[in-house]
Amino acid sequence: MGLLGEILLLPLAPVRGVVWVTGQVVDAAEQEQIAQLQRELVALEKELVDGGITEEEFDRREDEILDLLEEFDRGVAG
């Protein structure tokens, strides 16, 4: 973009800044949610190995968590 374009868009700079910051916050929140779901998967597997849940319960809950992770992968969650 040339100098003229930059000058014409200058009044929109604060809006573009807010949009960028909002995008960064959303990305960070999504990454934290993904990390939390991954921790839940690890805890779920430990619970299965320790005998705290049945294989059927593990499969059901694992499917729920994996479905949520898949939504993030597709960019649908939010």
Side-chain angles (χ1 to χ4, degrees):
M1 183 177 302
L3 180 59
L4 182 58
E6 289 292 328
I7 291 171
L8 291 174
L9 293 176
L10 192 57
L12 296 177
V15 174
R16 291 189 318 208
V18 169
V19 169
W20 180 83
V21 168
T22 301
Q24 296 299 308
V25 170
V26 168
D27 288 346
E30 287 178 351
Q31 291 303 315
E32 179 55 36
Q33 287 177 321
I34 290 169
Q36 177 60 37
L37 290 170
Q38 291 169 336
R39 288 189 294 268
E40 287 180 28
L41 275 176
V42 170
L44 186 61
E45 186 172 6
K46 183 177 181 336
E47 207 173 341
L48 175 66
V49 169
D50 291 346
I53 58 173
T54 64
E55 185 79 35
E56 293 80 19
E57 176 69 9
F58 173 83
D59 288 341
R60 184 186 65 75
R61 289 172 54 191
E62 179 189 42
D63 285 345
E64 292 172 359
I65 295 170
L66 292 176
D67 287 345
L68 290 171
L69 285 170
E70 197 172 291
E71 285 182 28
F72 278 107
D73 242 7
R74 290 191 316 253
V76 175

